[in-house]
Amino acid sequence: MKIKAFTILAFWACVGGSYAGVGGGVGPYATALKGVGDYVFGAGVRGELTFNKYIGLEARVSYTDAADADAGIMPFEAGIVGIIPLGKSNAELFGCVGGGYYTITGDTTVGSTGLEMDPIFGFYGAAGLNVFVTKNIKLFIDIKYTSAKNEATETTTGGIAGFYTWTRTTSVEYGVDGVGGDIGVMFTF
């Protein structure tokens, strides 16, 4: 298995212009943890594997914390990256689209309702700029839109048997929906 993995990586390296690396970044997010916080701030790790100088895959893992609540979101995201080299400069534009699994951490109840927030599936799209400082270090900045929504619902019934009954439904939307940004450094190899 190790030989096969090495062979595949060696083949991708022979295609030309390929690299793999990991990096991280921090940035303010205008992304709302709906029903919990107004904005979030986080840090994470971004890994990238390019097949050639135009296309690749990426994975992102981060943690964002709601500003006014004891909860946060931990996204696990993966997507496809398209790259446009900018001539003979050390810069390149990139864009990516992908999906994610967003887990809620900390206090997972929505406000005073007591409703639990479950993990959410969603999608994201990002566009940005990579600038190679050296052969093995690049800086990146991107703007990212994320959309992952869910709804917590609870129905309560009561009353006096044989006399009258009532039903009350409590429903709260929560999730990630908005624009954020990342800035960071990536080490390539």
Side-chain angles (χ1 to χ4, degrees):
M1 186 66 179
K2 290 181 183 179
I3 294 173
K4 287 181 185 179
F6 176 75
T7 305
I8 291 169
L9 289 175
F11 172 75
W12 284 337
C14 292
V15 172
S18 61
Y19 57 86
V22 294
V26 297
Y29 287 80
T31 303
L33 178 54
K34 287 189 168 188
V36 177
D38 292 331
Y39 68 92
V40 294
F41 185 83
V45 176
R46 176 178 164 230
E48 190 175 286
L49 175 65
T50 58
F51 303 122
N52 57 43
K53 62 182 181 178
Y54 301 108
I55 193 163
L57 299 174
E58 78 164 6
R60 297 173 182 239
V61 177
S62 60
Y63 177 78
T64 56
D65 196 21
D68 58 355
D70 294 327
I73 294 180
M74 182 173 261
F76 298 92
E77 301 169 317
I80 298 172
V81 180
I83 302 163
I84 301 172
L86 298 177
K88 295 183 179 186
S89 71
N90 291 338
E92 59 189 17
L93 297 174
F94 71 91
C96 50
V97 293
Y101 180 74
Y102 303 85
T103 60
I104 313 297
T105 62
D107 180 10
T108 60
T109 58
V110 181
S112 61
T113 64
L115 297 177
E116 291 289 322
M117 294 184 284
D118 295 324
I120 317 164
F121 287 99
F123 70 91
Y124 73 95
L129 176 71
N130 291 324
V131 177
F132 285 87
V133 179
T134 69
K135 181 181 175 184
N136 296 79
I137 299 174
K138 70 177 177 178
L139 303 175
F140 68 88
I141 185 168
D142 69 29
I143 295 175
K144 181 177 149 210
Y145 173 74
T146 305
S147 180
K149 302 174 191 173
N150 203 357
E151 189 173 30
T153 305
E154 179 182 62
T155 302
T156 308
T157 58
I160 300 172
F163 198 60
Y164 76 95
T165 59
W166 55 266
T167 303
R168 181 182 68 191
T169 301
T170 304
S171 181
V172 178
E173 184 182 89
Y174 65 93
V176 181
D177 187 31
V179 177
D182 294 309
I183 186 168
V185 62
M186 183 174 281
F187 301 95
T188 63
F189 51 89

